[in-house]
Amino acid sequence: VVPYERPALSKGFLLPEAPARLPAFHTCVGANEERLTQKWYKEHGIELVLGTRVKSADVNRKTLLTATGETISYKILIIATGARALQLEEFGVNGSNAENVCYLRSLADATRLVDAMKSSTGGNAVVIGGGYIGMECAASLVINKINVTMVFPEAHCMARLFTPKIASYYEDFYKSKGVKFIKGTVLSSFEKDADGKVTAVVLKDGNHLPTDMVVVGIGIRPNTSLFEGQLALEKGGIKVNGMMQTSNTSVYAVGDVAAFPVKIFGEIRRLEHVDSARKSARHAVAAIMDPSRTSDFDYLPFFYSRIFSLSWQFYGESVGEVVHYGDFSGSTFGGYWVSKGYLVGSFLEGGTKEEYEAIAKATRLKPAVEDITELERQGLGFAVSVSQRAPPPQLPTVVVPSSNLVLEKPLYAWHATAGVAVAASIAVFAYWYGRRRRRW
C-alpha cells in the first residue's frame, strides 16, 4: 500500500458513517496538501517499491538486502521504520491470532477492526490498555453502538501524561457514554469457543468479562533490529544528533525510531507522535540538502487527541508541580507543569486555535513562575499574556534548487501525517540530491 497518514486509522477510519478511506489520507498536509498516490511518486521521480521487505542492512558498505535477494546501494539512507505494536504474547498471554482480537497500527489492522465492529454491533468489547489507542478506539466502539469495558493496570487513563484530575474528567465523560473502567489489573487469559474465537476475557483480579471482540493497545516498540550493532542506540531508539544524523554520517533517522536531543529538556528523548515524525523528517532533509545553513533541530514536544466531541493539546514536559485551571465542569480547562521555578508543560482541552498557539508559545519560552497561586488565578490568561509579549518567531525558509517547492511555514499537529511525511520529505530530497539505485 502506498504510504498513508496513520492518525486517520484511529479516528475517521473507524466511523460508522462516511468513514475515511484511501485515497483520502494518501496525503501529507505538511507538503503542500497534495494527495500522494502512486502517480504522485512517479511524477516526482521517486521509485516507490511496495511489497518489499529489507532483510538486512550494511551501513559500512551502504547497501540494503531485500527478502527477494536484491541489493540496493545508497549514498544517503533515511531510516523511517517507525515502531510496531507490542503483542500480548510478549507479556505471557496467548491469543493474538484469534479473529476477534484486534490491534491497531496498520491499514490492515484497521480494516480488521472495522470488520470486527460490524459483527459486534450491540454486543460487548473489551479494550486492553488506557493510552492513546485504548482511548481513541473505545470512543469509536461506542460510536459504533458497542458496549465497552476498558482494562489497564494504572490508576487512571493516559497515565503517562494526564494528572488524576485531568484523567477524571475524561473518565467521567466516557462513563456518561456507557464505558466501564477496570483499573489496577491486567489480562490473564482468554476463553475461546470451538472455532478459536474469544468469548471472554479473564483478568488477574478475577474478573470474567464476556465479550464479542477485544482491542489491544499496550504500547509500541521501535523497529531498530536492522541496525542493532551497527548504529548507536539510546532510549530504545536510534540515537541521532541535532541534524537527525546517526553515528554513521551517511545515515539519518526520523520519527518514532529516532532518539534525538530535545533542546528544551537538555537531553536525548524518543517521542512517539505524528508531529515529531513529520518535523524530524523535514529537518533531516534540510540538513542533508544544506548542512551549513541548517541549525540543530529545536523541537517543542507536542501531543494531541480528538475523542468524541473533545479535543486536547499538550506541549512540553509533564514534570514538576501541576497547576490546574479553568472549569472542569464545563468544556474548557487545562493545566501547567512548573519545574524549578519555570513553566515546562501546558495542557488545554477545548481551546481555540489562538489559545492553543498561546500555550505552545508560552511553553517554548519557559517563563519564570514566582507565585503558583497567581498562576492558578490567571489560568489560560497567563499563557496568552506571555505569548503576546513574546517577539514573533523567525521562521526558517528552505528553498529546494531545481524545484518549485519552498517550505516556509510551520507545521502544526492538525496537519497530521507520519509515514507520508517521511515519503514527502524524501521526494524533496530526490529533486535536490538525486537518487541512484544499483542492482546486482
Side-chain angles (χ1 to χ4, degrees):
V1 177
V2 176
Y4 51 85
E5 291 181 321
R6 201 182 298 277
L9 299 181
S10 61
K11 300 177 178 67
F13 194 92
L14 302 182
L15 295 177
E17 297 180 11
R21 289 291 182 270
L22 293 176
F25 51 101
H26 273 314
T27 183
C28 173
V29 179
N32 299 338
E33 305 189 18
E34 294 180 272
R35 184 168 287 180
L36 278 57
T37 61
Q38 199 147 6
K39 179 182 177 183
W40 182 93
Y41 288 90
K42 185 176 182 180
E43 290 175 346
H44 287 75
I46 302 168
E47 185 177 1
L48 179 64
V49 184
L50 302 177
T52 301
R53 184 174 61 87
V54 174
K55 182 179 179 181
S56 64
D58 188 329
V59 298
N60 290 323
R61 294 183 178 180
K62 299 184 180 180
T63 59
L64 307 173
L65 179 64
T66 72
T68 58
E70 179 184 30
T71 297
I72 303 171
S73 67
Y74 62 84
K75 287 185 177 180
I76 298 291
L77 176 67
I78 300 176
I79 301 171
T81 49
R84 62 174 179 81
L86 287 171
Q87 303 284 304
L88 289 171
E89 283 72 12
E90 296 174 68
F91 298 88
V93 178
N94 295 321
S96 292
N97 59 344
E99 67 178 70
N100 59 338
V101 173
C102 305
Y103 292 83
L104 186 56
R105 188 68 185 171
S106 67
L107 181 65
D109 292 336
T111 300
R112 181 178 180 180
L113 178 54
V114 167
D115 290 342
M117 288 194 299
K118 287 179 178 178
S119 64
S120 302
T121 302
N124 301 313
V126 176
V127 176
I128 307 297
Y132 261 108
I133 294 299
M135 294 294 284
E136 293 188 354
C137 284
S140 295
L141 288 162
V142 169
I143 294 171
N144 279 274
K145 297 180 171 53
I146 298 171
N147 303 308
V148 179
T149 299
M150 294 188 69
V151 178
F152 46 85
E154 298 84 6
H156 59 76
C157 67
M158 294 292 292
R160 290 171 62 180
L161 175 60
F162 288 179
T163 66
K165 185 177 179 69
I166 291 173
S168 179
Y169 177 91
Y170 292 99
E171 289 181 8
D172 287 346
F173 191 95
Y174 271 57
K175 289 174 185 176
S176 74
K177 300 292 185 179
V179 177
K180 298 177 182 178
F181 290 91
I182 299 179
K183 310 174 194 177
T185 189
V186 294
L187 171 67
S188 176
S189 62
F190 291 128
E191 290 183 1
K192 300 179 181 179
D193 62 17
D195 297 323
K197 186 176 181 179
V198 171
T199 57
V201 171
V202 181
L203 306 181
K204 280 196 174 179
D205 68 357
N207 262 298
H208 180 274
L209 309 174
T211 192
D212 298 287
M213 63 177 294
V214 178
V215 178
V216 183
I218 52 178
I220 63 174
R221 182 158 294 160
N223 293 317
T224 61
S225 59
L226 284 172
F227 305 97
E228 290 172 6
Q230 300 189 78
L231 301 175
L233 305 180
E234 191 166 331
K235 301 292 177 69
I238 296 172
K239 184 179 180 180
V240 298
N241 60 21
M243 299 290 187
M244 310 310 295
Q245 189 177 42
T246 72
S247 53
N248 183 294
T249 57
S250 298
V251 182
Y252 295 72
V254 299
D256 287 358
V257 78
F260 62 92
V262 179
K263 281 189 175 182
I264 197 171
F265 298 156
E267 65 178 56
I268 297 283
R269 294 287 179 91
R270 190 182 60 77
L271 301 174
E272 300 171 359
H273 197 273
V274 59
D275 186 65
S276 172
R278 182 190 317 111
K279 291 177 180 174
S280 61
R282 179 187 180 191
H283 194 83
V285 172
I288 292 166
M289 292 191 298
D290 196 349
S292 64
R293 295 176 57 190
T294 304
S295 57
D296 284 345
F297 191 35
D298 188 7
Y299 180 69
L300 175 65
F302 168 72
F303 302 90
Y304 79 97
S305 186
R306 295 188 299 274
I307 41 182
F308 293 114
S309 59
L310 306 177
S311 178
W312 59 260
Q313 294 186 19
F314 173 85
Y315 294 88
E317 185 174 30
S318 55
V319 298
E321 186 174 355
V322 184
V323 176
H324 297 100
Y325 63 84
D327 182 9
F328 276 76
S329 63
S331 59
T332 303
F333 63 87
Y336 295 121
W337 281 255
V338 180
S339 179
K340 299 178 181 178
Y342 294 91
L343 178 72
V344 297
S346 300
F347 175 95
L348 178 60
E349 163 65 44
T352 64
K353 178 176 181 289
E354 292 73 23
E355 288 168 342
Y356 287 131
E357 290 174 352
I359 67 168
K361 188 179 291 185
T363 306
R364 178 175 286 282
L365 291 170
K366 294 184 70 174
V369 177
E370 298 177 357
D371 188 337
I372 293 290
T373 304
E374 178 63 17
L375 177 63
E376 183 177 15
R377 186 192 69 79
Q378 291 187 34
L380 182 57
F382 176 81
V384 172
S385 176
V386 169
S387 67
Q388 289 175 345
R389 295 197 303 266
Q394 296 297 312
L395 301 179
T397 298
V398 181
V399 180
V400 184
S402 303
S403 85
N404 59 359
L405 179 60
V406 178
L407 304 177
E408 58 180 0
K409 54 185 178 181
L411 306 177
Y412 298 104
W414 43 88
H415 297 161
T417 179
V420 178
V422 179
S425 298
I426 294 174
V428 178
F429 172 56
Y431 264 69
W432 164 246
Y433 207 93
R435 184 177 179 189
R436 296 179 180 177
R437 194 162 183 252
R438 300 195 304 271
R439 294 186 176 92
W440 292 273

